[in-house]
Every structure is written in structure tokens, then in C-alpha cells.
Amino acid sequence: MERHLRRFSDSFKKSPVKQNPQRYDPEDESDPIRMVLGDVELVYENREWQAAGGAESKELAEKNRLLEVENQLLKFKLNMMMDMLSTAKLDLLTLQNEKNMA
């Protein structure tokens, strides 16, 4: 006599197959997406964010360039100060060695 064994997992109901949701593509929209951050208006077009006003964009680019130049100058000054500090430390150590030897 054969005995039929039933598995525990057979008692679970199978979930129905779900449809994949439609993906949102901003390029499908006819109007570009606009967003205002402070005084700057941004527009999402051609898969990238751009400043809405051309003049504002040029002003920001010029300000960015000036800040980069200032940053380079500050880095140079910092390196000079570090060199001066290293030289002063070496001079101090040399004088302390000479004092201890005498």
C-alpha cells in the first residue's frame, strides 16, 4: 500500500503574477521640468539640469572662475606658510642640539 505524502509548502497559495509598473521618463513630457533654488531657476532638458537664464549662467561661471583663482592663491599661501613653519622648526631643533652638545 502506497502512502501519499503531502508537503507543507503545497498548502501555501501562490501569489498572482504582477505586471511591471510603467517607468516614468521625463523626456516623454512636453514641458520641461522647472525648479527655483533661491535666486536661480533651473530647467531639466535633454537629461540634464541647466540654468534658465543665460545671463545668470554666465555670472555664475565668472564667479566660479574667480573663486577658483582665489582658492589657488590661498593654497599657495598655505604651502608657503607650511614651508616657513618647517624651516623654523628645523632651526629650533638645530639650536637645541647645539645647546645640548655645548
Side-chain angles (χ1 to χ4, degrees):
M1 175 158 113
E2 272 188 43
R3 193 171 160 191
H4 178 68
L5 294 177
R6 191 171 156 190
R7 288 183 288 174
F8 179 67
S9 62
D10 289 342
S11 64
F12 297 136
K13 292 183 181 179
K14 293 184 179 180
S15 62
V17 176
K18 295 181 182 177
Q19 297 286 334
N20 288 335
Q22 286 185 339
R23 297 187 67 100
Y24 174 74
D25 187 10
E27 299 301 317
D28 293 341
E29 295 293 321
S30 59
D31 297 330
I33 300 171
R34 296 184 177 279
M35 178 172 56
V36 177
L37 295 174
D39 297 335
V40 179
E41 182 181 2
L42 300 172
V43 179
Y44 186 76
E45 289 182 311
N46 302 325
R47 298 199 181 274
E48 64 180 34
W49 287 99
Q50 302 170 352
E56 292 174 359
S57 178
K58 289 178 184 176
E59 289 175 16
L60 288 175
E62 179 62 21
K63 186 175 182 179
N64 187 36
R65 189 189 66 76
L66 291 174
L67 289 172
E68 287 176 352
V69 168
E70 182 182 3
N71 192 24
Q72 288 176 350
L73 179 62
L74 291 172
K75 284 181 183 179
F76 175 75
K77 287 181 178 182
L78 177 64
N79 286 332
M80 291 297 295
M81 294 299 289
M82 293 297 289
D83 289 345
M84 291 170 62
L85 180 63
S86 298
T87 304
K89 179 68 175 180
L90 287 173
D91 289 345
L92 177 65
L93 291 173
T94 304
L95 288 175
Q96 285 178 342
N97 269 347
E98 288 175 2
K99 180 180 175 185
N100 290 338
M101 295 229 175

